[in-house]
């Protein structure tokens, strides 16, 4: 299949209306979308990404009213979160409507719903005329794409169209919150921090799975966010540490973080802030792969605000999970 590149949301929407799949930008990462009500179109997403069938997709809306087509009930906690954070980098998990085919949610009776903050994303969904099921637009296991070029690298010829936008503003995926229970639970850390969520819903907790427990967010079980290079976490410049000393690498190495390290590496990326670090991480992983880097050192940061999501992604990449 030939992949068309366009900056016109109406042209891209024509593909969706004909049951095809289209990559599009959001403020978090690029997504790979299909008509959420079209089972065959959604199946093409799983095929293109080589995504395991047991990993549910998020439904993306352009207007709050569309949530009624996807979910049977908007709980009190969900309503507060939607009021405060939609449109934006938050996904709320609700009880699923029977109108949504089972393939979208991998057979779960719940559905994740999100309204992107990036205006081009909302304009595109609006032009499609229905909500879009969309995971991140990478090959399964690879870092999420933050530019249309990264989407093309992974999926050229495997999707019908890319709606080209700017590099994504945030660079990490949305926060996923399960709102179906008594106490809302953060299933995946993301751009909206636990502190910000608790300011709206004070009982909000972070769900931590034990091995014996049923994993509530299937996606966190799969290998994720991984460059080909080995990722290693380097302790940050906290209290008492005067310099950031890198180990002597055995092969070609790279560094990303906030402080200039001592020790020699081939590629060095010093970020001006934690936000900037989050924005750059996935693209840096991809750049390192293109250059044949074997080890990537990532400086540890304080786990507040987006730092928690950043460290979550880095640890997952480091554990090869
Ligand atoms: O920022 C984002 O969320 C991006 C953009 C494109 O919107 N999307 C994204 O989708 O990261 P994906 O498929 O790569 O990750 C979705 C995560 C997975 O961990 C999945 O298991 C979880 O959300 N998820 C989706 N639906 C769920 C549900 N009904 N219950 C629990 N977890 C769910
Ligand atoms: Mg993903």
């Amino acid at each position: 299949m030939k992949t068309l590149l366009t900056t016109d949301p109406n042209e891209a929407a024509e593909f969706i209306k004909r049951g095809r799949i289209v990559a599009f930008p959001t403020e978090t990462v690029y997504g790979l979308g299909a008509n959420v009500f079209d089972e065959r179109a959604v199946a093409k997403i799983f095929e293109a990404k080589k995504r395991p069938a047991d990993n549910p997709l998020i439904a993306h809306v352009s207007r709050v009213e569309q949530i009624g087509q996807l979910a049977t009930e908007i709980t009190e906690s969900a309503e507060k979160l939607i009021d405060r954070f939609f449109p934006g980098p938050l996904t709320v998990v609700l009880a699923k409507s029977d109108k949504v085919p089972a393939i979208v949610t991998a057979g779960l009776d719940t559905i994740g719903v999100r309204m992107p903050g990036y205006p081009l994303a909302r304009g595109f969904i609006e032009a499609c005329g229905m909500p879009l099921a969309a995971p991140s637009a990478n090959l399964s296991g690879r870092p999420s794409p933050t530019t249309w070029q990264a989407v093309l690298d992974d999926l050229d010829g495997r999707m019908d169209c890319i709606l080209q936008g700017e590099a994504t503003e945030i660079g990490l995926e949305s926060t996923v919150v399960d709102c179906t229970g008594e106490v809302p639970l953060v299933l995946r850390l993301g751009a909206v921090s636990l502190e910000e969520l608790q300011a709206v819903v004070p009982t909000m907790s972070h769900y931590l799975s034990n091995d014996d427990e049923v994993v509530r967010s299937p996606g966190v079980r799969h290998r994720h966010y991984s460059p080909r290079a080995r990722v290693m976490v380097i302790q940050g410049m906290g209290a008492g540490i005067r310099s950031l000393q890198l180990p002597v690498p055995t092969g070609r190495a790279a560094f990303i973080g906030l402080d200039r390290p001592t020790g020699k590496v081939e590629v060095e990326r010093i970020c001006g802030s934690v936000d900037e670090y989050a924005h750059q991480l996935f693209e840096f992983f991809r750049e390192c792969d293109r250059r044949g880097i074997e080890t990537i050192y990532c400086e540890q940061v304080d786990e507040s605000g987006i730092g928690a999501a950043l460290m979550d992604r880095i640890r997952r990449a480091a554990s090869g999970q």
Side-chain angles (χ1 to χ4, degrees), residues 189-210:
L189 294 166
V192 178
S193 69
L194 187 58
E195 300 91 311
E196 287 172 296
L197 293 167
Q198 283 168 340
V200 177
V201 181
T203 55
M204 180 80 58
S205 318
H206 184 198
Y207 172 75
L208 296 166
S209 64
N210 297 317

Side-chain angles (χ1 to χ4, degrees):
M1 148 194 335
K2 177 141 176 47
T3 300
L4 179 96
L5 303 182
T6 180
T7 55
D8 177 0
N10 294 308
E11 187 177 22
E14 287 307 314
F15 286 97
I16 296 288
K17 291 182 199 164
R18 284 187 276 124
R20 309 290 184 81
I21 58 176
V22 175
F24 63 99
T26 80
E27 75 279 29
T28 58
V29 299
Y30 274 70
L32 181 61
N35 176 352
V36 74
F37 301 116
D38 183 341
E39 191 175 337
R40 285 175 54 194
V42 173
K44 290 176 189 164
I45 294 179
F46 283 89
E47 194 187 317
K49 279 185 58 105
K50 302 186 182 157
R51 182 174 176 105
D54 65 354
N55 196 357
L57 310 183
I58 295 170
H60 294 67
V61 298
S62 51
R63 281 174 285 123
V64 170
E65 305 85 76
Q66 286 175 321
I67 301 173
Q69 304 171 30
L70 302 166
T72 55
E73 192 200 347
I74 300 180
T75 53
E76 204 184 310
S77 61
E79 196 160 323
K80 286 187 185 151
L81 295 172
I82 289 167
D83 265 4
R84 169 69 181 80
F85 296 107
F86 277 28
L90 179 72
T91 298
V92 294
V93 173
L94 299 166
K96 175 182 148 316
S97 156
D98 290 340
K99 283 183 237 143
V100 180
I103 186 172
V104 173
T105 60
L108 295 178
D109 55 9
T110 59
I111 184 163
V113 180
R114 155 162 141 76
M115 181 176 0
Y118 189 51
L120 180 59
R122 283 205 309 283
F124 168 57
I125 299 166
E126 193 62 25
C128 293
M130 79 288 279
L132 301 182
S136 51
N138 51 281
L139 277 173
S140 200
R142 299 272 299 145
S144 295
T146 57
T147 63
W148 63 262
Q149 291 90 340
V151 177
L152 198 63
D153 273 351
D154 270 19
L155 298 175
D156 191 13
R158 304 181 68 82
M159 72 210 140
D160 299 280
C161 175
I162 300 179
L163 175 59
Q164 297 166 291
E166 296 151 78
T168 63
E169 187 190 333
I170 296 171
L172 300 181
E173 304 84 350
S174 65
T175 306
V176 179
V177 178
D178 184 344
C179 292
T180 59
E182 206 50 23
V183 175
L185 293 172
V186 175
L187 302 182
R188 178 177 74 181
L189 294 166
V192 178
S193 69
L194 187 58
E195 300 91 311
E196 287 172 296
L197 293 167
Q198 283 168 340
V200 177
V201 181
T203 55
M204 180 80 58
S205 318
H206 184 198
Y207 172 75
L208 296 166
S209 64
N210 297 317
D211 284 347
D212 321 341
E213 250 179 299
V214 180
V215 174
R216 297 184 63 150
S217 185
V220 301
R221 222 175 26 214
H222 297 288
R223 185 180 159 85
H224 250 107
Y225 318 117
S226 306
R228 278 182 282 277
R230 188 166 56 124
V231 173
M232 291 183 70
V233 182
I234 297 294
Q235 200 183 6
M237 294 271 280
I241 302 176
R242 290 273 179 77
S243 72
L244 198 67
Q245 182 67 49
L246 299 180
V248 178
T250 49
R252 303 177 59 187
F255 169 85
I256 183 167
L258 300 174
D259 304 287
R260 195 163 295 285
T262 49
K264 191 145 175 53
V265 289
E266 204 173 307
V267 194
E268 207 174 80
R269 182 73 50 88
I270 315 297
C271 308
S273 65
V274 176
D275 283 346
E276 183 58 25
Y277 189 173
H279 173 75
Q280 300 248 353
L281 182 75
F282 288 151
E283 193 45 42
F284 188 72
F285 280 176
R286 285 175 178 270
E287 182 188 335
C288 288
D289 280 351
R290 285 193 293 271
R291 292 187 180 211
I293 295 294
E294 291 154 286
T295 307
I296 305 172
Y297 299 114
C298 298
E299 182 179 354
Q300 193 173 351
V301 299
D302 194 38
E303 292 188 40
S304 59
I306 201 166
L310 177 61
M311 286 313 301
D312 170 75
R313 303 305 190 271
I314 291 173
R315 281 206 198 90
R316 268 180 229 273
S319 69
Q321 202 185 74

